[in-house]
Amino acid sequence: MPETGNSRMSEYQKDNSFDLNNTSAYKLSIQISLDGFSFFILDDNNNRLLAWKKTTVTISNENFISRRFTEWQESEELLKKDFRQVEVMYFSPQFTWVPQNYYQKEKNYRLFETLFPETESQKLISVPATDSNDRLLFAVPVDLTDFIKQSFNNLSLNHPVCALLKGLEQADSELDNCLTVWIGVKDFYLVVKKNKKVQVINVFSYIAGNDILYYIISALKQLEISPNKSHLFLSGRLDKVGDLIVKINAYFAEVDYLGPNKELRFNPENVVIPKHQLISLF
């Protein structure tokens, strides 16, 4: 059985090398979404996953996410310790990718308000999306942003699309056309590269697995990309989409799972969920 560590109202999986008194040397990674919350603690110097916990909750919309996250964070004594670095990944459906040539910091809000007019209670976050200095703009509820900044030092905010871009960059493929999909409970993120250049970054709501396949094929058709000459990397809650994997394999030349950096080490007994769900570690 995996060893567990105790925190108030919760248990977390931990590695034998995890030192509760040395958290200031570790990196804390937190995921926040309408599907729930999770945290991962890493020893960057040794590329090792030391502790993690995933809490599944049902949150109907973003208006309630700050209150629910506050309750969760306050119940986790471990998260109140000091860490060398804290990264919070927020699964915002309101985002846009801005290529370097078109990025102008002073026009960020005007651009975002044009795309997403109902964002008065949201704070706009801008982060690097790729090594070529493209940017990703995304919205986070103001009250959630304020609570996170009050709760953690050495903080950075990030978005799952950035993790997918990084994972796709590190993935092994001999094909010039690659794409990756992160599947959540109600929506999925899609990133498409044509001739090794990013062409599509988007999020779609879905009801059934067939919806996901339809959106993927439609996006490729618009780009004049043939699925049978493309490499698809899957990640996320694949258990939520029935026989989608079987259908996808019939369309694409190559299908693989997208997972954490290959250099990351961990005790297999402590990771009891599939690695392709660990997007914070991509």
Side-chain angles (χ1 to χ4, degrees):
M1 294 291 292
E3 183 181 2
T4 61
N6 293 321
S7 64
R8 183 163 59 92
M9 296 176 61
S10 68
E11 291 185 340
Y12 57 90
Q13 306 299 321
K14 71 171 185 175
D15 187 85
N16 291 333
S17 63
F18 178 52
D19 185 353
L20 191 59
N21 298 314
N22 193 38
T23 57
S24 60
Y26 302 149
K27 175 182 176 180
L28 170 65
S29 179
I30 296 175
Q31 291 179 200
I32 304 175
S33 76
L34 296 179
D35 303 336
F37 315 121
S38 61
F39 69 77
F40 303 89
I41 297 175
L42 299 102
D43 178 356
D44 282 351
N45 292 330
N46 295 301
N47 291 317
R48 192 166 188 89
L49 175 61
L50 299 178
W52 75 279
K53 181 185 177 182
K54 178 179 176 65
T55 302
T56 300
V57 297
T58 301
I59 305 173
S60 57
N61 62 64
E62 286 187 308
N63 294 329
F64 305 107
I65 199 166
S66 178
R67 178 174 61 83
R68 296 297 299 274
F69 178 76
T70 300
E71 294 171 353
W72 180 76
Q73 190 271 345
E74 290 178 347
S75 74
E76 299 290 344
E77 294 293 339
L78 180 57
L79 300 187
K80 298 176 184 178
K81 288 185 165 292
D82 290 326
F83 291 88
R84 179 181 57 79
Q85 179 184 355
V86 179
E87 180 186 68
V88 175
M89 181 175 291
Y90 182 67
F91 284 67
S92 171
Q94 297 178 318
F95 69 89
T96 187
W97 169 52
V98 184
Q100 178 188 14
N101 294 341
Y102 296 95
Y103 180 76
Q104 297 181 38
K105 185 177 181 179
E106 63 277 8
K107 296 183 178 180
N108 283 354
Y109 279 96
R110 187 185 307 172
L111 169 64
F112 209 78
E113 288 174 353
T114 300
L115 296 172
F116 307 103
E118 298 181 2
T119 54
E120 294 181 358
S121 61
Q122 307 276 331
K123 181 175 180 59
L124 180 62
I125 307 296
S126 173
V127 295
T130 65
D131 291 339
S132 58
N133 294 321
D134 296 340
R135 306 291 295 189
L136 192 82
L137 309 181
F138 63 99
V140 182
V142 171
D143 52 353
L144 177 61
T145 306
D146 291 344
F147 177 76
I148 291 171
K149 289 184 176 180
Q150 293 169 7
S151 302
F152 302 105
N153 297 317
N154 307 314
L155 173 69
S156 64
L157 288 168
N158 208 348
H159 191 277
V161 162
C162 297
L164 293 177
L165 286 165
K166 180 180 178 181
L168 198 56
E169 189 69 29
Q170 296 174 346
D172 294 328
S173 178
E174 297 180 355
L175 300 178
D176 291 338
N177 300 329
C178 297
L179 60 155
T180 186
V181 174
W182 164 269
I183 299 174
V185 174
K186 296 180 180 179
D187 53 25
F188 72 96
Y189 295 92
L190 173 65
V191 177
V192 181
K193 281 188 173 184
K194 180 179 181 180
N195 296 325
K196 298 186 178 181
K197 294 184 179 180
V198 176
Q199 299 294 323
V200 171
I201 299 177
N202 212 337
V203 62
F204 303 90
S205 298
Y206 75 93
I207 297 176
N210 286 339
D211 299 335
I212 297 174
L213 183 57
Y214 170 79
Y215 286 124
I216 293 173
I217 298 300
S218 296
L220 295 183
K221 185 176 181 179
Q222 291 180 358
L223 294 171
E224 298 182 342
I225 296 175
S226 174
N228 61 19
K229 295 182 180 179
S230 304
H231 197 155
L232 172 61
F233 293 90
L234 296 169
S235 59
R237 295 297 305 275
L238 305 182
D239 56 306
K240 294 294 182 180
V241 290
D243 61 350
L244 175 66
I245 310 302
V246 175
K247 295 177 180 178
I248 279 178
N249 274 291
Y251 277 88
F252 288 87
E254 298 285 345
V255 179
D256 285 302
Y257 294 121
L258 195 67
N261 187 319
K262 293 180 179 179
E263 296 180 357
L264 180 69
R265 297 185 297 158
F266 52 85
N267 184 342
E269 291 186 357
N270 292 338
V271 182
V272 294
I273 61 175
K275 293 190 290 295
H276 54 261
Q277 292 186 21
L278 307 179
I279 190 169
S280 293
L281 309 182
F282 285 11

